[in-house]
């Protein structure tokens, strides 16, 4: 591995980070287009890796970006 965290799914523990930690729902601060907000996302308590699901990144975040661009 090139030092980048990876993910794997294990039936007994759910999602695991490449470092071996189990991803748990965690409130994280997100900065997006100059705005800061807190959101609960799966994160690794071992290394701090935060998983941003594809549907959030390409769906809801894209919608917010378009709204802010139109202002």
């Amino acid at each position: 591995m090139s030092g980048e965290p990876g993910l794997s799914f294990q039936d007994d523990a759910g999602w695991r980070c490449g470092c071996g930690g189990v991803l748990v729902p965690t409130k994280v601060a997100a900065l997006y287009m100059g705005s800061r907000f807190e959101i609960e996302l799966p994160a690794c308590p071992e290394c701090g890796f935060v998983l941003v699901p594809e549907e959030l990144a390409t769906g809801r975040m894209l919608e917010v970006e378009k709204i802010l661009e139109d202002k």
Side-chain angles (χ1 to χ4, degrees):
M1 197 173 259
S2 63
E4 293 183 29
L7 295 173
S8 63
F9 187 79
Q10 298 182 351
D11 289 332
D12 61 335
W15 286 101
R16 285 196 172 266
C17 180
C19 77
V22 176
L23 299 184
V24 295
T26 306
K27 278 196 175 188
V28 297
L31 295 174
Y32 187 70
M33 297 192 71
S35 298
R36 182 184 186 278
F37 55 95
E38 287 192 2
I39 186 168
E40 192 168 277
L41 293 172
C44 176
E46 303 294 322
C47 71
F49 174 79
V50 177
L51 174 65
V52 178
E54 182 179 5
E55 61 272 5
L56 176 61
T58 61
R60 290 182 11 202
M61 294 296 238
L62 183 59
E63 289 175 24
V64 170
E65 184 176 334
K66 287 180 181 180
I67 291 168
L68 291 173
E69 284 177 352
D70 289 342
K71 288 185 176 184

